[in-house]
């Protein structure tokens, strides 16, 4: 059992719920753009609303995973200081994870935020990361990024006391995963292919309802850190390795503190110490409902969790447009 410190507990608990307001604001703004074929407008609306929502949160936050560098992103750029003032924390954001799916009205787009104590997050550059993740309650090291897909599936099936045919692999539907997908199918596993949205894909391994047993494949490195923060709270194992396509990316990563470009990061190296994670569904998926709107109101569905307590909370919020600041509902 953890030590009881009422003051810290209160701050942490309140903060976790504040984070939901931030992802709700981003999701509500993005929901205006569902299916309208303009992913940049959807993304811009989410970023704008999330940035404004942070102004009301009692933290002294520094964005470490964000929308890019100061000169290329006007808001939520890496290094930006956000919040009203309060505990010193690092922030990772993806205001709209799944911009293309939102533009097409497809499933699984979320607005997401994670928070760590200062220095808690891997400073991941905006490149690809190779990822593997499984849910809680399995022997440590049951799967490994360097093992072949069929070996990982064999070990996972053994640990879960099932056959490979019972396992569901989740990955992004990309040409670069062709060989891995073929290997999984050859081994007899089933595969769920995602159009976008590997943060939700990784989190799915820790949620029995989704039917996903293992996530494999490459996606955004910032999304990898966000997913690691979520799994720190909800349980599960994850490994990630940055994938560099050229020397410029390597030197960029070095500037951000990455000393060994080949390193395999464990979940605690991507998200250390106390972390919190929140996400609100923009379009519906197996984990979260999407935003449902009427002329005068909207309903949002969010998940919020803290690594310290391990509590996972689902929050259904009913928003009355007449009583909300216009900035969050337009
Ligand atoms: C994934 C996915 C994101 O980027 O991280 C992906 O989760 C990786 O890049 O939603 P590619 O699309 O180039 O494969 C996104 O699609 C966009 O951030
Ligand atoms: Mg984004
Ligand atoms: Mg993204």
């Amino acid at each position: 059992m953890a030590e009881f410190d009422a003051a810290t507990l209160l701050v942490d608990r309140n903060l976790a719920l504040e984070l939901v307001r931030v992802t709700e604001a981003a999701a509500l703004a993005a929901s205006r753009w569902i299916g309208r074929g303009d992913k940049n407008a959807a993304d811009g609306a989410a970023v704008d609303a999330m940035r404004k929502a942070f102004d009301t949160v009692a933290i002294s936050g520094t964005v470490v995973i964000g929308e890019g560098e100061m000169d290329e992103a006007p808001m939520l750029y890496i290094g930006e200081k956000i919040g009203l003032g309060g505990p010193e924390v690092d922030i990772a954001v993806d205001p709209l994870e799944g911009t293309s799916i939102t533009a097409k009205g497809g499933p699984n787009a979320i607005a997401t935020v994670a928070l760590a104590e200062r220095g808690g997050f891997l400073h991941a550059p905006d490149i690809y990361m190779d990822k593997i993740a499984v849910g809680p309650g399995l022997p440590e090291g049951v799967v490994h990024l360097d093992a072949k897909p069929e070996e990982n599936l064999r070990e996972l099936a053994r640990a879960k006391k099932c056959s490979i045919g019972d396992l569901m692999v989740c990955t992004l539907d990309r040409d670069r995963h062709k060989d891995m997908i073929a290997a999984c199918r050859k081994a007899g596993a089933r595969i769920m292919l995602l159009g976008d949205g590997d943060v939700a894909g990784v989190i799915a391994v820790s949620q029995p309802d989704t039917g996903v047993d293992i996530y494999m494949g490459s996606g955004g490195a910032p999304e990898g850190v966000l997913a690691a923060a979520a799994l720190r709270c909800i349980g599960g194992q994850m490994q990630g390795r940055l994938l560099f396509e050229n020397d410029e990316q390597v030197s960029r990563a070095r500037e951000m503190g990455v000393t060994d470009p080949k390193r395999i990061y464990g979940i605690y190296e991507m998200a250390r110490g106390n972390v919190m994670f929140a996400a609100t569904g923009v379009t519906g998926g197996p984990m979260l409902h999407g935003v449902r709107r009427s002329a005068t109101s909207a309903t949002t569905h969010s998940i919020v969790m803290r690594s310290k307590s391990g509590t996972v909370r689902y929050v259904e919020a009913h928003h009355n447009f007449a009583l909300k600041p216009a900035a969050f509902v337009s």
Side-chain angles (χ1 to χ4, degrees), residues 32-313:
R32 273 259 175 243
W33 294 94
I34 293 171
R36 288 175 66 187
D38 189 343
K39 66 181 191 146
N40 293 331
D43 200 27
V47 173
D48 199 10
M50 181 175 278
R51 177 67 189 78
K52 285 194 186 113
F54 263 120
D55 277 342
T56 67
V57 182
I59 50 165
S60 294
T62 305
V63 176
V64 298
I65 299 279
E67 294 300 297
E69 301 300 298
M70 192 188 331
D71 47 4
E72 69 196 36
M75 283 181 291
L76 295 174
Y77 56 86
I78 294 164
E80 185 176 0
K81 305 285 180 200
I82 54 176
L84 263 184
E88 296 264 344
V89 292
D90 280 352
I91 304 283
V93 301
D94 197 344
L96 183 54
E97 157 59 354
T99 54
S100 306
I101 28 186
T102 303
K104 288 187 222 159
N108 250 333
I110 56 176
T112 182
V113 161
L115 182 152
E117 297 164 70
R118 265 340 283 275
F121 289 130
L122 172 69
H123 291 201
D126 195 7
I127 60 174
Y128 286 121
M129 175 187 273
D130 204 7
K131 311 171 192 182
I132 191 164
V134 291
L138 294 163
E140 192 56 38
V142 62
V143 297
H144 196 277
L145 206 49
D146 276 339
K148 294 195 174 96
E150 57 272 28
E151 290 167 4
N152 281 326
L153 291 169
R154 194 183 57 223
E155 290 309 309
L156 186 59
R158 199 196 306 264
K160 291 198 160 188
K161 298 190 173 49
C162 65
S163 70
I164 293 180
D166 296 320
L167 297 177
M168 178 76 81
V169 180
C170 183
T171 192
L172 288 170
D173 189 6
R174 298 291 187 273
D175 276 351
R176 62 178 186 270
H177 293 155
K178 198 166 46 74
D179 294 347
M180 186 262 287
I181 291 169
C184 290
R185 286 180 175 154
K186 187 159 175 237
R190 299 168 302 143
I191 303 206
M192 184 184 289
L193 295 173
L194 303 177
D196 265 318
D198 68 348
V199 176
V202 170
I203 296 174
V205 301
S206 64
Q207 307 217 299
D209 286 357
T210 61
V212 171
D213 296 285
I214 178 167
Y215 186 90
M216 293 187 210
S218 60
E223 280 88 348
V225 174
L226 279 158
L231 285 200
R232 277 289 321 285
C233 301
I234 207 168
Q237 300 177 40
M238 180 178 175
Q239 295 174 340
R241 177 168 42 209
L242 298 170
L243 293 174
F244 296 96
E245 285 164 296
N246 53 50
D247 292 346
E248 197 210 313
Q249 290 184 350
V250 176
S251 52
R252 166 95 188 91
R254 279 196 202 285
E255 280 165 26
M256 293 175 77
V258 174
T259 46
D260 176 6
K262 298 206 171 97
R263 183 180 185 120
I264 293 181
Y265 295 97
I267 189 166
Y268 284 89
E269 292 164 305
M270 292 191 270
R272 271 182 301 277
N274 291 327
V275 301
M276 301 179 196
F277 176 93
T280 300
V282 176
T283 60
M287 175 170 74
L288 294 170
H289 303 304
V291 177
R292 282 155 290 168
R293 305 184 68 107
S294 76
T296 54
S297 67
T299 305
T300 52
H301 192 214
S302 308
I303 186 171
V304 56
M305 43 201 184
R306 299 192 296 142
S307 64
K308 206 187 213 168
S309 64
T311 309
V312 177
R313 234 179 224 104

